[in-house]
């Protein structure tokens, strides 16, 4: 009786063992697949790791190159501005000279008229002299020269406005450098995680850190008056709220000021 | 006597633009690269007007305006903001902190001169 019970237990155990072998037969191909997958993925991960290392080592160079671009455009802009400034000074001198010439013509006319009044008989000769002096003709040439100078001055102003694109692009580039720095930080931490077991030491390849306070990531080179007009309206409104008489700045007012100030 | 204008902007080109535009009209210019430097230069010089950017290292333009307005001595100092920040929120913020004028980059040098002359002439 006791023997029969033991044999049943043995068969039961053998049944379990058979189930285990059946399960094993099923699981082995799965393990094989996992091993194949690991065999494939490890070189791939190594490749990713190497790519990250490679990219991380190149990032600081890219960031420094961006800084070099900013510095170079700063120098070039400054040089152009110096030239424009020098041109503007020359224009002012020419304008003053032309103004003196116009005064000279006026004085000549006054002198000729005074002479005509003193010596009435000479009026015919004076007319001939006036004609020879070509005062009207020369004066109209001076006036047209003044118009050309005014146009050059306006062009110079437009150049200075256009040159401000340097400041806008510098801010955009600073924003890019800020992003690059963030990417490099993430990649560096990934690399440290990847290479923990191997006693990996991260190379000191820091990108220049950019304080997010120093740039406007949305800086745009926009010469339309739309934003300025909003600013003017808000200032006007603020002044009204403060019971101050805020006057909207018109282009006419600005032009008037510059006509008066020369 | 020459009127003294303090310019705070971290961009050397903008400092130069403003300096060139204003010095030709006889103003004396003191330029600095951030708000901290501007706060340091305020006491020693008789500053008649401040032109400031908003995005600057160390002390930015908003903090600079706030600090100036908190100081009784400079409460009435005319302040012109010159910034690429052009949203209504930024403009509101600038005015709330105590700016008198707000100019958006890129700016017309004539407009800067006009704003300066409003306070100094």
């Amino acid at each position: 009786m006791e023997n029969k019970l033991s044999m049943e237990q043995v068969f039961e155990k053998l049944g379990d063992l058979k189930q285990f072998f059946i399960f094993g037969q099923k699981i082995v191909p799965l393990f094989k697949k996992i091993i194949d997958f690991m065999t494939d993925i490890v070189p791939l991960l190594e490749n990713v790791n190497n790519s990250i290392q490679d990219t991380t080592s190149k990032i600081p160079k890219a960031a420094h190159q961006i800084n070099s671009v900013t510095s170079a455009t700063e120098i070039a802009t400054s040089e152009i501005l110096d030239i424009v400034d020098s041109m503007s000074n020359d224009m002012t001198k020419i304008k003053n000279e032309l103004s003196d010439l116009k005064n000279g013509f006026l004085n000549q006319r006054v002198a000729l008229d005074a002479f005509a009044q003193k010596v009435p008989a000479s009026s015919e000769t004076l007319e001939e002299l006036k004609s020879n002096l070509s005062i009207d003709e020369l004066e109209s040439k001076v006036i047209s020269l003044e118009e050309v100078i005014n146009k050059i001055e306006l062009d110079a102003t437009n150049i200075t406005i256009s040159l401000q694109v340097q400041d806008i692009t510098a801010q955009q580039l600073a924003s890019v450098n800020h992003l690059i720095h963030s990417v490099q930080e993430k990649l560096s931490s990934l690399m440290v995680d990847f290479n923990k077991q191997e006693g990996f030491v991260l190379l000191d390849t820091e990108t220049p850190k950019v304080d997010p306070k120093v740039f406007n990531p949305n800086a745009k080179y926009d010469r339309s008056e739309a934003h300025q007009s909003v600013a003017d309206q808000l200032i006007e409104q603020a002044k009204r709220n403060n019971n101050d008489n805020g006057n909207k700045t018109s282009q006419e007012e600005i032009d008037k000021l510059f006509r008066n100030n020369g | 006597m020459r009127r003294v204008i303090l310019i705070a902007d971290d961009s050397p080109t903008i400092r130069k633009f403003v300096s060139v535009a204003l010095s030709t009209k006889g103003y004396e210019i003191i330029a600095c690269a951030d708000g901290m430097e501007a706060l340091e230069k305020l006491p020693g010089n008789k500053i008649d007007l401040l032109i400031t950017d908003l995005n600057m290292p160390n002390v930015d333009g908003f903090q600079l305006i706030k600090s100036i307005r908190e100081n009784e001595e400079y409460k009435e100092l005319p302040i012109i903001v010159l910034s690429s920040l052009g949203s209504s929120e930024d403009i509101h913020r600038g005015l709330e902190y105590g700016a008198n004028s707000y100019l958006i980059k890129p700016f017309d040098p004539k407009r800067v001169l006009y704003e300066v002359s409003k306070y100094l002439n």
Side-chain angles (χ1 to χ4, degrees), chain A residues 150-169:
Chain A
N150 288 338
K151 193 189 166 294
I152 294 171
E153 278 187 332
L154 188 66
D155 289 343
T157 302
N158 281 324
I159 289 170
T160 59
I161 298 172
S162 300
L163 282 175
Q164 287 170 52
V165 75
Q166 190 280 328
D167 173 57
I168 307 288
T169 50

Side-chain angles (χ1 to χ4, degrees), chain A residues 24-38:
Chain A
Q25 272 179 329
K26 282 181 187 168
I27 204 88
V28 163
L30 193 68
F31 272 125
K32 198 176 174 301
K33 275 185 186 172
I34 291 172
I35 290 165
D36 288 346
F37 174 73
M38 292 297 279

Side-chain angles (χ1 to χ4, degrees), chain A residues 49-161:
Chain A
N49 186 15
N50 290 338
S51 297
I52 291 174
Q53 275 191 38
D54 189 39
T55 312
T56 311
S57 67
K58 280 177 185 165
I59 282 177
K61 195 183 171 199
H64 285 294
Q65 273 176 336
I66 286 174
N67 278 350
S68 304
V69 169
T70 303
S71 302
T73 54
E74 252 171 32
I75 294 167
T77 306
S78 180
E79 284 172 359
I80 298 169
L81 195 64
D82 281 338
I83 296 167
V84 172
D85 185 37
S86 161
M87 269 172 56
S88 297
N89 289 338
D90 291 343
M91 290 301 130
T92 307
K93 278 180 203 160
I94 296 171
K95 269 174 99 170
N96 290 339
E97 294 292 328
L98 290 176
S99 179
D100 286 349
L101 274 175
K102 274 165 78 179
N103 286 337
F105 295 140
L106 185 72
N107 291 340
Q108 279 183 357
R109 279 205 193 90
V110 170
L112 287 168
D113 288 344
F115 188 78
Q117 274 182 351
K118 273 186 189 167
V119 193
S122 65
S123 64
E124 209 173 291
T125 320
L126 274 175
E127 283 307 315
E128 199 182 326
L129 184 63
K130 270 186 190 177
S131 169
N132 287 339
L133 285 171
S134 322
I135 295 173
D136 292 341
E137 209 177 298
L138 288 170
E139 195 176 38
S140 74
K141 278 184 181 170
V142 167
I143 289 167
S144 70
L145 273 176
E146 275 181 335
E147 283 167 5
V148 173
I149 301 284
N150 288 338
K151 193 189 166 294
I152 294 171
E153 278 187 332
L154 188 66
D155 289 343
T157 302
N158 281 324
I159 289 170
T160 59
I161 298 172

Side-chain angles (χ1 to χ4, degrees), chain A residues 74 78 81-82 85 160-161 163-164 166-167 171 213-216 222 227-228 232 235 249 253-254 258, chain B residues 11-14 16-17 20 55-58 84-86 102-107 109-111 113-114:
Chain A
E74 252 171 32
S78 180
L81 195 64
D82 281 338
D85 185 37
T160 59
I161 298 172
L163 282 175
Q164 287 170 52
Q166 190 280 328
D167 173 57
Q171 292 197 56
K213 271 199 312 188
V214 306
F215 62 85
N216 168 16
D222 179 5
H227 286 298
Q228 189 57 56
D232 292 343
I235 290 167
T249 309
E253 281 178 281
I254 298 171
F258 285 94
Chain B
S11 161
T13 46
I14 295 295
K16 188 156 189 170
F17 283 129
V20 165
N55 293 106
M56 290 187 291
N58 304 318
S84 63
L85 295 171
Y102 197 109
L103 299 179
I104 295 164
K105 295 173 184 174
F107 58 90
K110 283 182 184 175
R111 178 65 196 262
L113 278 167
Y114 173 78

Side-chain angles (χ1 to χ4, degrees), chain A residues 9 12 16 19 24 26 41 51 83 93 111 150 157 163 171 191 201 209 220 226 230 235-236:
Chain A
Q9 279 177 335
E12 200 180 305
D16 287 350
Q19 286 301 316
K26 282 181 187 168
I41 202 77
S51 297
I83 296 167
K93 278 180 203 160
N150 288 338
T157 302
L163 282 175
Q171 292 197 56
M191 271 174 61
V201 180
K209 200 169 184 180
K220 268 193 301 186
V230 170
I235 290 167
E236 197 186 353

Side-chain angles (χ1 to χ4, degrees), chain A residues 227-240 248, chain B residues 95:
Chain A
H227 286 298
Q228 189 57 56
S229 175
V230 170
D232 292 343
Q233 281 169 19
L234 289 172
I235 290 167
E236 197 186 353
Q237 196 183 324
K239 280 181 180 172
R240 266 204 305 267
K248 196 181 173 192
Chain B
L95 296 177

